[in-house]
Amino acid sequence: QASQEELKAAYRRLCMLYHPDKHRDPELKSQAEQLFNLVHQAYEVLSDPQTRAIYDIYGRRGLEMEGWEVVERKRTPAEIREEFERLQREREERRLQQRTNPKGTISVGIDATDLFDRYDEEYEDVPGSSFPQIEINKMHISQSIEAPLTSTDTAILSGNLSTQNGNGGGSINIALRRVTSAKGWGELEFGAGDLQGPLFGLKIFRNLTPRCFISTNCALQFSSRGVRPGLTTVLARNLDKNTMGYLQWRWGIQSAMNTSIVRDTKNSHFTMALQLGIPHSFMMVSYQHKFQDEDQTRVKGSLKAGFFGTIVEYGAERKISRHSVLGATVSVGVPQGVSLKIKLNRASQTYFFPVHLTDQLLPSAVFYATVGPLVIYFAMHRLIIKPYLRAQKERELEKQRESTASDVLQKKQEAEAAVRLMQESVRRIIEAEEARMGLIVVNAWYGKFVNDNSRKNEKVKVIDVTVPLQCLVKDSKLILTEASKAGLPGFYDPCVGEEKSLKVLYQFRGVLHQVMSADNEALRIPKQ
């Protein structure tokens, strides 16, 4: 947001500080030349409206982007942004053939009803009958990958295998999707399986207005019984910024009409749906609360009632690593009984384990389905997950330190050189501030502070920045903007990848004050 006048004033100030002619010592003169050149390069970028617009939007990577040499001068920031995005698109298209988007699901159904629905008289003469029998009674595996053909065409290959109680089958599908415009796309699908005949399908998506879209899916399923057509149409509309309304009509196998309202905000997700159909009609209400914590914890509950019975579900999910989310849901229904569903999302792969506990409504089954996963999760989190993540973070930090070691060393040398060059200016600033009872920085530290007892084993990593901060004092004021303080003159990053703060002990009007500021937090002292 700085004006050209502010940039010129800052440039003149740093030029006076780092000008080689102001230093007679050969070593200081050499260091001053290097810093003077860096300041000049920065001013060249920021004083030109075009290069400044590029830097403001994209930083250094924007200035280093190939292709700017062909961009005409005297363009507006909006045109420069558009040109940059065009260059990025061209680079992405060159890497298009190397990209796929794999998605997969593995579901393993477990029958554990023997834990709660045992009848002892049936097991009297059976060897090993004292142990409950837990069986895997069904499995499902599906996988899909995308192969971009051009910037608008994509081929999708998918397949699935299912088995239940020893019987099963599979199918394979290939789809060709074309993005026809910014408002829509179309997709042709062909499939075949060992249990059913060929499948031909057509999907169309279209934005009718900025707030409304429609999608249609037509399918023809060939089998020994003849051709079974199917049609599904969905009309959706934004009711407000966070709410969507859906109308769905499905004709063919399991014909139905469905209407639903979905409200999704930063803290919650609410869904209400009503379906009238053959063979199932139902009403469903679900609510999910999103906690704004580091682990992205979510707690959810739902009620579903229809011709098939009534089901109540409740559960939670939590992020256990950067790419993994673990969730558990307890399902209690009539006549379905009690089930526990465990789900693990790892990147684009989903692992699902539905465990059927009992066909009856037993309080003991509900209790163990609720408490058991919680006890196991907290034990694993404390004994396995937390130590693993801590070790992983340390390895990543160590790797980051190694990769940036030479750069950090250079920044450190530049900062130390800048501090030596600032000494004379700081002495004059302190004399002027003392004369007017103004702002004097007594001590200042920047880096990682350990104030929490739980982190007392961690090492404090700070550097003394008293001189650089005093050099920034002007008219008894120190103003720092919202940006990492590691980029200030005389500063460098003492702990790459870790949380940093700035701690300042200063004197104003003869009274001592102390302030602590986060790395990217704006700071203005003295406080008003």
Side-chain angles (χ1 to χ4, degrees):
Q1 304 298 323
S3 65
Q4 285 296 326
E5 290 71 25
E6 289 172 316
L7 283 171
K8 285 179 183 176
Y11 177 57
R12 283 196 297 267
R13 188 178 182 192
L14 288 171
C15 283
M16 290 175 64
L17 186 64
Y18 296 143
H19 202 288
D21 294 346
K22 298 192 68 177
H23 304 278
R24 296 180 181 178
D25 183 279
E27 186 181 349
L28 287 178
K29 194 178 184 74
S30 173
Q31 293 169 346
E33 283 178 359
Q34 293 176 13
L35 293 170
F36 184 80
N37 288 335
L38 285 174
V39 171
H40 184 64
Q41 288 170 16
Y43 184 66
E44 278 189 332
V45 170
L46 297 176
S47 59
D48 184 300
Q50 281 74 35
T51 55
R52 179 179 176 177
I54 296 166
Y55 181 78
D56 283 349
I57 299 168
Y58 302 106
R60 277 184 182 274
R61 68 188 180 96
L63 298 173
E64 295 164 1
M65 185 77 177
E66 295 177 8
W68 283 118
E69 61 273 8
V70 300
V71 178
E72 295 177 15
R73 307 295 288 172
K74 297 180 182 177
R75 288 197 169 195
T76 65
E79 291 172 322
I80 288 171
R81 182 192 291 270
E82 192 176 304
E83 186 67 22
F84 182 87
E85 288 171 353
R86 184 189 66 79
L87 292 170
Q88 268 197 324
R89 281 196 301 273
E90 288 180 0
R91 188 173 61 178
E92 285 298 316
E93 285 175 11
R94 287 196 296 267
R95 297 189 305 191
L96 199 60
Q97 300 300 330
Q98 302 169 5
R99 289 209 318 266
T100 60
N101 184 22
K103 295 178 184 177
T105 301
I106 296 177
S107 176
V108 180
I110 300 171
D111 184 357
T113 54
D114 204 26
L115 290 170
F116 298 95
D117 295 344
R118 287 171 62 88
Y119 297 97
D120 294 337
E121 61 272 14
E122 295 182 10
Y123 293 87
E124 287 177 356
D125 300 323
V126 180
S129 62
S130 58
F131 297 100
Q133 301 294 314
I134 298 176
E135 301 175 344
I136 294 175
N137 60 356
K138 56 185 176 182
M139 291 186 68
H140 175 79
I141 299 173
S142 64
Q143 185 75 29
S144 71
I145 57 169
E146 295 182 0
L149 305 177
T150 67
S151 58
T152 59
D153 297 333
T154 304
I156 305 162
L157 180 66
S158 62
N160 67 79
L161 290 169
S162 299
T163 177
Q164 183 168 359
N165 296 323
N167 299 314
S171 65
I172 187 167
N173 293 59
I174 185 168
L176 298 173
R177 180 186 299 161
R178 165 165 286 188
V179 178
T180 54
S181 68
K183 292 185 176 182
W185 52 264
E187 183 177 297
L188 283 172
E189 182 181 9
F190 307 93
D194 59 347
L195 296 180
Q196 296 178 333
L199 169 73
F200 297 95
L202 172 65
K203 296 178 184 177
I204 298 173
F205 174 90
R206 181 76 178 176
N207 281 311
L208 302 178
T209 69
R211 298 179 60 186
C212 181
F213 72 82
I214 187 171
S215 68
T216 300
N217 181 9
C218 310
L220 290 175
Q221 178 73 64
F222 294 86
S223 67
S224 57
R225 298 178 182 178
V227 181
R228 292 187 297 179
L231 176 66
T232 301
T233 300
V234 177
L235 178 66
R237 180 177 172 81
N238 278 97
L239 304 180
D240 63 34
K241 187 174 72 172
N242 299 309
T243 309
M244 287 287 293
Y246 297 89
L247 288 172
Q248 183 187 75
W249 178 62
R250 188 167 63 243
W251 172 78
I253 305 169
Q254 296 188 348
S255 297
M257 291 184 67
N258 183 299
T259 181
S260 59
I261 294 175
V262 180
R263 181 170 178 79
D264 191 14
T265 66
K266 184 180 178 182
N267 298 312
S268 64
H269 182 94
F270 173 78
T271 303
M272 184 170 66
L274 175 66
Q275 176 173 302
L276 299 174
I278 303 170
H280 293 309
S281 296
F282 65 84
M283 184 181 73
M284 188 268 288
V285 177
S286 72
Y287 177 80
Q288 183 182 85
H289 183 74
K290 306 173 187 177
F291 292 92
Q292 302 303 310
D293 59 352
E294 187 181 355
D295 296 321
Q296 300 178 10
T297 306
R298 300 184 178 192
V299 176
K300 55 188 177 182
S302 69
L303 171 65
K304 190 175 182 180
F307 292 164
F308 53 81
T310 302
I311 299 175
V312 175
E313 291 188 343
Y314 57 90
E317 65 178 42
R318 197 175 198 185
K319 193 174 181 180
I320 57 174
S321 71
R322 185 185 301 174
H323 303 292
S324 301
V325 177
L326 181 65
T329 303
V330 178
S331 176
V332 182
V334 178
Q336 290 83 3
V338 181
S339 298
L340 171 64
K341 302 171 184 176
I342 298 170
K343 185 168 74 170
L344 173 66
N345 286 327
R346 172 73 178 169
S348 58
Q349 303 295 312
T350 301
Y351 304 90
F352 187 51
F353 302 93
V355 184
H356 188 49
L357 299 175
T358 173
D359 294 324
Q360 308 171 55
L361 288 182
L362 296 179
S364 58
V366 177
F367 174 79
Y368 285 112
T370 305
V371 176
L374 289 174
V375 173
I376 294 171
Y377 168 76
F378 284 113
M380 288 183 62
H381 188 265
R382 187 173 185 82
L383 300 176
I384 300 173
I385 298 173
K386 208 170 179 180
Y388 171 76
L389 292 177
R390 192 184 301 119
Q392 188 183 46
K393 186 178 179 181
E394 282 299 321
R395 285 195 300 269
E396 288 177 356
L397 282 174
E398 191 60 37
K399 190 176 179 181
Q400 193 175 357
R401 290 189 198 106
E402 288 175 3
S403 64
T404 58
S406 59
D407 188 45
V408 169
L409 181 62
Q410 182 186 348
K411 296 289 184 186
K412 181 180 179 182
Q413 292 170 349
E414 288 176 3
E416 290 172 347
V419 169
R420 286 193 290 271
L421 296 169
M422 290 174 183
Q423 297 290 347
E424 184 61 30
S425 296
V426 167
R427 185 183 61 78
R428 291 197 299 269
I429 291 170
I430 290 175
E431 287 176 357
E433 293 296 324
E434 283 178 340
R436 66 172 76 149
M437 293 280 287
L439 176 61
I440 298 171
V441 178
V442 179
N443 274 308
W445 303 270
Y446 173 67
K448 176 185 174 184
F449 295 86
V450 180
N451 302 318
D452 190 349
N453 288 331
S454 64
R455 299 164 58 199
K456 60 186 177 183
N457 294 328
E458 297 183 27
K459 188 179 178 183
V460 175
K461 301 172 186 174
V462 296
I463 56 172
D464 189 325
V465 290
T466 308
V467 172
L469 275 190
Q470 185 68 67
C471 194
L472 292 171
V473 173
K474 185 179 180 182
D475 299 329
S476 298
K477 292 176 186 174
L478 174 64
I479 301 171
L480 303 180
T481 57
E482 292 182 8
S484 175
K485 296 169 179 63
L488 293 172
F491 282 62
Y492 69 93
D493 193 339
C495 45
V496 175
E498 298 184 67
E499 192 175 319
K500 291 172 282 290
S501 301
L502 175 66
K503 187 176 183 179
V504 186
L505 181 69
Y506 67 94
Q507 183 176 302
F508 184 69
R509 301 283 186 258
V511 180
L512 279 174
H513 302 270
Q514 182 175 287
V515 65
M516 198 151 183
S517 168
D519 188 25
N520 289 291
E521 185 182 354
L523 177 66
R524 181 189 178 98
I525 55 176
K527 298 286 187 182
Q528 299 301 312

